[in-house]
Short mmCIF file of all heavy atoms in Angstrom, two decimals:
data_model
loop_
_atom_site.label_atom_id
_atom_site.label_comp_id
_atom_site.label_asym_id
_atom_site.label_seq_id
_atom_site.Cartn_x
_atom_site.Cartn_y
_atom_site.Cartn_z
N LYS A 1 14.31 -0.09 -6.67
CA LYS A 1 13.79 1.25 -6.95
C LYS A 1 12.47 1.48 -6.20
O LYS A 1 12.19 2.59 -5.74
CB LYS A 1 13.58 1.44 -8.45
CG LYS A 1 13.17 2.86 -8.84
CD LYS A 1 13.07 3.01 -10.34
CE LYS A 1 12.67 4.43 -10.71
NZ LYS A 1 12.56 4.60 -12.20
N MET A 2 11.67 0.40 -6.07
CA MET A 2 10.41 0.52 -5.33
C MET A 2 10.65 0.49 -3.83
O MET A 2 10.00 1.22 -3.07
CB MET A 2 9.45 -0.62 -5.74
CG MET A 2 8.99 -0.56 -7.18
SD MET A 2 7.71 -1.79 -7.56
CE MET A 2 8.62 -3.33 -7.33
N ASN A 3 11.56 -0.37 -3.38
CA ASN A 3 11.89 -0.46 -1.95
C ASN A 3 13.40 -0.62 -1.81
O ASN A 3 13.92 -1.73 -1.96
CB ASN A 3 11.18 -1.62 -1.28
CG ASN A 3 11.45 -1.66 0.22
OD1 ASN A 3 12.14 -0.78 0.76
ND2 ASN A 3 10.93 -2.66 0.90
N PRO A 4 14.11 0.44 -1.52
CA PRO A 4 15.57 0.37 -1.40
C PRO A 4 16.04 -0.62 -0.35
O PRO A 4 17.17 -1.10 -0.41
CB PRO A 4 15.95 1.81 -1.01
CG PRO A 4 14.83 2.65 -1.53
CD PRO A 4 13.60 1.81 -1.37
N ALA A 5 15.19 -0.94 0.63
CA ALA A 5 15.57 -1.90 1.67
C ALA A 5 15.53 -3.33 1.17
O ALA A 5 16.04 -4.23 1.82
CB ALA A 5 14.66 -1.75 2.88
N GLY A 6 14.89 -3.57 0.03
CA GLY A 6 14.85 -4.91 -0.53
C GLY A 6 13.97 -5.88 0.21
O GLY A 6 14.22 -7.09 0.20
N LEU A 7 12.91 -5.37 0.86
CA LEU A 7 12.02 -6.22 1.64
C LEU A 7 10.63 -6.28 1.03
O LEU A 7 10.22 -5.37 0.30
CB LEU A 7 11.92 -5.69 3.09
CG LEU A 7 13.23 -5.63 3.88
CD1 LEU A 7 12.99 -4.95 5.22
CD2 LEU A 7 13.82 -7.02 4.07
N VAL A 8 9.90 -7.35 1.33
CA VAL A 8 8.51 -7.49 0.92
C VAL A 8 7.62 -7.27 2.13
O VAL A 8 8.05 -7.48 3.27
CB VAL A 8 8.26 -8.88 0.29
CG1 VAL A 8 9.00 -9.01 -1.02
CG2 VAL A 8 8.64 -10.02 1.24
N PRO A 9 6.36 -6.83 1.90
CA PRO A 9 5.72 -6.62 0.62
C PRO A 9 6.00 -5.22 0.05
O PRO A 9 6.38 -4.31 0.77
CB PRO A 9 4.24 -6.74 0.96
CG PRO A 9 4.15 -6.15 2.34
CD PRO A 9 5.42 -6.62 3.03
N VAL A 10 5.76 -5.13 -1.25
CA VAL A 10 5.67 -3.86 -1.94
C VAL A 10 4.35 -3.84 -2.68
O VAL A 10 3.93 -4.87 -3.23
CB VAL A 10 6.84 -3.66 -2.93
CG1 VAL A 10 6.58 -2.48 -3.85
CG2 VAL A 10 8.15 -3.47 -2.19
N MET A 11 3.68 -2.72 -2.65
CA MET A 11 2.42 -2.57 -3.38
C MET A 11 2.52 -1.39 -4.33
O MET A 11 3.07 -0.34 -3.97
CB MET A 11 1.24 -2.32 -2.42
CG MET A 11 -0.11 -2.26 -3.12
SD MET A 11 -1.29 -1.17 -2.27
CE MET A 11 -0.57 0.44 -2.59
N LYS A 12 2.00 -1.57 -5.52
CA LYS A 12 1.90 -0.48 -6.48
C LYS A 12 0.44 -0.32 -6.87
O LYS A 12 -0.22 -1.28 -7.26
CB LYS A 12 2.74 -0.78 -7.73
CG LYS A 12 2.81 0.38 -8.71
CD LYS A 12 3.77 0.07 -9.86
CE LYS A 12 3.85 1.26 -10.80
NZ LYS A 12 4.75 0.96 -11.96
N ASP A 13 -0.07 0.87 -6.71
CA ASP A 13 -1.46 1.18 -7.07
C ASP A 13 -1.40 2.37 -8.00
O ASP A 13 -1.33 3.53 -7.56
CB ASP A 13 -2.27 1.51 -5.81
CG ASP A 13 -3.75 1.72 -6.12
OD1 ASP A 13 -4.15 1.57 -7.29
OD2 ASP A 13 -4.51 2.05 -5.19
N GLY A 14 -1.41 2.10 -9.31
CA GLY A 14 -1.21 3.17 -10.28
C GLY A 14 0.21 3.69 -10.16
O GLY A 14 1.17 2.95 -10.32
N THR A 15 0.35 4.97 -9.81
CA THR A 15 1.69 5.55 -9.66
C THR A 15 2.17 5.54 -8.21
O THR A 15 3.31 5.91 -7.94
CB THR A 15 1.69 7.00 -10.16
OG1 THR A 15 0.75 7.77 -9.40
CG2 THR A 15 1.32 7.07 -11.64
N LEU A 16 1.32 5.11 -7.29
CA LEU A 16 1.68 5.08 -5.87
C LEU A 16 2.39 3.78 -5.54
O LEU A 16 1.89 2.70 -5.84
CB LEU A 16 0.43 5.21 -5.00
CG LEU A 16 0.64 5.05 -3.49
CD1 LEU A 16 1.48 6.20 -2.93
CD2 LEU A 16 -0.70 4.96 -2.77
N VAL A 17 3.54 3.88 -4.88
CA VAL A 17 4.29 2.71 -4.44
C VAL A 17 4.45 2.79 -2.92
O VAL A 17 4.90 3.81 -2.39
CB VAL A 17 5.67 2.64 -5.11
CG1 VAL A 17 6.47 1.47 -4.54
CG2 VAL A 17 5.53 2.51 -6.62
N LEU A 18 4.09 1.71 -2.22
CA LEU A 18 4.23 1.63 -0.78
C LEU A 18 4.99 0.36 -0.41
O LEU A 18 4.81 -0.67 -1.07
CB LEU A 18 2.86 1.61 -0.10
CG LEU A 18 1.99 2.86 -0.24
CD1 LEU A 18 0.62 2.60 0.38
CD2 LEU A 18 2.64 4.05 0.42
N PHE A 19 5.80 0.43 0.66
CA PHE A 19 6.55 -0.77 1.05
C PHE A 19 6.51 -1.08 2.54
O PHE A 19 7.32 -1.85 3.02
CB PHE A 19 8.00 -0.68 0.58
CG PHE A 19 8.77 0.53 1.03
CD1 PHE A 19 9.22 0.67 2.32
CD2 PHE A 19 9.06 1.54 0.12
CE1 PHE A 19 9.95 1.78 2.72
CE2 PHE A 19 9.79 2.66 0.49
CZ PHE A 19 10.24 2.77 1.80
N GLU A 20 5.58 -0.55 3.30
CA GLU A 20 5.38 -0.96 4.69
C GLU A 20 4.01 -1.65 4.78
O GLU A 20 3.00 -1.09 4.34
CB GLU A 20 5.43 0.23 5.63
CG GLU A 20 6.83 0.71 5.95
CD GLU A 20 7.61 -0.28 6.79
OE1 GLU A 20 6.98 -1.02 7.58
OE2 GLU A 20 8.84 -0.32 6.67
N SER A 21 3.97 -2.85 5.37
CA SER A 21 2.74 -3.64 5.33
C SER A 21 1.56 -2.93 5.97
O SER A 21 0.44 -2.95 5.42
CB SER A 21 2.96 -5.00 6.01
OG SER A 21 3.36 -4.84 7.36
N ASN A 22 1.75 -2.28 7.11
CA ASN A 22 0.63 -1.60 7.75
C ASN A 22 0.16 -0.40 6.93
O ASN A 22 -1.04 -0.10 6.87
CB ASN A 22 1.01 -1.15 9.17
CG ASN A 22 0.98 -2.30 10.16
OD1 ASN A 22 0.70 -3.44 9.80
ND2 ASN A 22 1.29 -2.02 11.40
N ALA A 23 1.10 0.29 6.29
CA ALA A 23 0.71 1.40 5.41
C ALA A 23 -0.09 0.89 4.22
O ALA A 23 -1.06 1.52 3.78
CB ALA A 23 1.96 2.14 4.93
N ILE A 24 0.29 -0.27 3.70
CA ILE A 24 -0.44 -0.87 2.58
C ILE A 24 -1.86 -1.22 3.01
O ILE A 24 -2.82 -0.95 2.29
CB ILE A 24 0.32 -2.11 2.06
CG1 ILE A 24 1.64 -1.69 1.40
CG2 ILE A 24 -0.56 -2.91 1.08
CD1 ILE A 24 2.55 -2.85 1.07
N VAL A 25 -1.99 -1.83 4.18
CA VAL A 25 -3.32 -2.20 4.69
C VAL A 25 -4.19 -0.96 4.83
O VAL A 25 -5.36 -0.94 4.41
CB VAL A 25 -3.20 -2.94 6.03
CG1 VAL A 25 -4.58 -3.13 6.68
CG2 VAL A 25 -2.53 -4.30 5.84
N ARG A 26 -3.65 0.11 5.39
CA ARG A 26 -4.42 1.33 5.58
C ARG A 26 -4.83 1.94 4.24
O ARG A 26 -5.96 2.42 4.08
CB ARG A 26 -3.62 2.34 6.40
CG ARG A 26 -3.43 1.94 7.85
CD ARG A 26 -2.66 3.02 8.60
NE ARG A 26 -2.54 2.70 10.00
CZ ARG A 26 -1.40 2.38 10.62
NH1 ARG A 26 -0.27 2.34 9.93
NH2 ARG A 26 -1.37 2.11 11.91
N HIS A 27 -3.92 1.94 3.28
CA HIS A 27 -4.24 2.50 1.97
C HIS A 27 -5.36 1.71 1.30
O HIS A 27 -6.31 2.30 0.76
CB HIS A 27 -3.02 2.50 1.06
CG HIS A 27 -3.34 2.81 -0.37
ND1 HIS A 27 -3.64 4.08 -0.81
CD2 HIS A 27 -3.48 2.00 -1.46
CE1 HIS A 27 -3.92 4.06 -2.11
NE2 HIS A 27 -3.82 2.80 -2.52
N LEU A 28 -5.26 0.40 1.33
CA LEU A 28 -6.29 -0.43 0.71
C LEU A 28 -7.64 -0.19 1.35
O LEU A 28 -8.67 -0.14 0.68
CB LEU A 28 -5.90 -1.90 0.82
CG LEU A 28 -4.69 -2.34 -0.02
CD1 LEU A 28 -4.24 -3.74 0.37
CD2 LEU A 28 -5.01 -2.28 -1.51
N ALA A 29 -7.64 -0.02 2.67
CA ALA A 29 -8.89 0.23 3.38
C ALA A 29 -9.49 1.57 3.00
O ALA A 29 -10.70 1.69 2.76
CB ALA A 29 -8.66 0.17 4.88
N ARG A 30 -8.65 2.60 2.93
CA ARG A 30 -9.16 3.93 2.61
C ARG A 30 -9.67 4.02 1.18
O ARG A 30 -10.70 4.65 0.92
CB ARG A 30 -8.05 4.98 2.83
CG ARG A 30 -7.77 5.28 4.29
CD ARG A 30 -6.89 6.52 4.42
NE ARG A 30 -5.55 6.31 3.91
CZ ARG A 30 -4.51 5.98 4.67
NH1 ARG A 30 -4.67 5.82 5.99
NH2 ARG A 30 -3.31 5.81 4.14
N ARG A 31 -8.95 3.39 0.26
CA ARG A 31 -9.33 3.55 -1.15
C ARG A 31 -10.39 2.56 -1.61
O ARG A 31 -11.28 2.90 -2.38
CB ARG A 31 -8.10 3.43 -2.06
CG ARG A 31 -8.45 3.65 -3.52
CD ARG A 31 -7.29 3.95 -4.39
NE ARG A 31 -7.75 4.32 -5.73
CZ ARG A 31 -6.96 4.53 -6.76
NH1 ARG A 31 -5.63 4.43 -6.62
NH2 ARG A 31 -7.46 4.86 -7.93
N TYR A 32 -10.29 1.31 -1.12
CA TYR A 32 -11.16 0.26 -1.66
C TYR A 32 -12.06 -0.41 -0.62
O TYR A 32 -12.97 -1.15 -1.01
CB TYR A 32 -10.31 -0.83 -2.34
CG TYR A 32 -9.42 -0.31 -3.44
CD1 TYR A 32 -8.04 -0.21 -3.26
CD2 TYR A 32 -9.96 0.06 -4.67
CE1 TYR A 32 -7.22 0.26 -4.28
CE2 TYR A 32 -9.15 0.53 -5.69
CZ TYR A 32 -7.78 0.64 -5.49
OH TYR A 32 -6.96 1.10 -6.50
N GLY A 33 -11.79 -0.19 0.65
CA GLY A 33 -12.51 -0.96 1.67
C GLY A 33 -13.40 -0.14 2.57
O GLY A 33 -13.50 -0.42 3.77
N ARG A 34 -14.06 0.85 2.02
CA ARG A 34 -14.88 1.74 2.85
C ARG A 34 -15.92 0.98 3.66
O ARG A 34 -16.17 1.30 4.82
CB ARG A 34 -15.56 2.79 1.96
CG ARG A 34 -16.41 3.78 2.74
CD ARG A 34 -16.97 4.85 1.84
NE ARG A 34 -17.76 5.82 2.60
CZ ARG A 34 -18.38 6.86 2.05
NH1 ARG A 34 -18.29 7.08 0.75
NH2 ARG A 34 -19.08 7.68 2.82
N THR A 35 -16.55 0.00 3.06
CA THR A 35 -17.61 -0.75 3.76
C THR A 35 -17.14 -2.11 4.26
O THR A 35 -17.91 -2.80 4.94
CB THR A 35 -18.82 -0.94 2.84
OG1 THR A 35 -18.43 -1.72 1.69
CG2 THR A 35 -19.39 0.39 2.37
N THR A 36 -15.92 -2.49 3.94
CA THR A 36 -15.47 -3.84 4.28
C THR A 36 -14.27 -3.88 5.22
O THR A 36 -14.10 -4.84 5.97
CB THR A 36 -15.08 -4.61 3.01
OG1 THR A 36 -14.06 -3.85 2.30
CG2 THR A 36 -16.28 -4.82 2.10
N LEU A 37 -13.44 -2.85 5.20
CA LEU A 37 -12.18 -2.91 5.92
C LEU A 37 -11.87 -1.63 6.70
O LEU A 37 -11.28 -1.69 7.78
CB LEU A 37 -11.04 -3.19 4.93
CG LEU A 37 -9.63 -3.42 5.49
CD1 LEU A 37 -9.60 -4.63 6.42
CD2 LEU A 37 -8.63 -3.62 4.35
#
């Protein structure tokens, strides 16, 4: 249900679900890594 392709990684941040690694990296940087990533 989170990733119909059945591949890892999958990330869930609250109600947001992402399943592409580069998209996950970008999201983490935008939301949590302003000064670090």
Side-chain angles (χ1 to χ4, degrees):
K1 185 176 181 180
M2 295 187 295
N3 184 3
L7 300 174
V8 293
V10 168
M11 184 210 70
K12 187 174 182 182
D13 185 2
T15 60
L16 174 67
V17 176
L18 295 175
F19 56 74
E20 282 291 331
S21 59
N22 282 1
I24 292 170
V25 171
R26 291 182 176 112
H27 169 76
L28 292 169
R30 286 192 292 264
R31 182 163 188 186
Y32 302 107
R34 182 176 181 180
T35 62
T36 57
L37 186 61

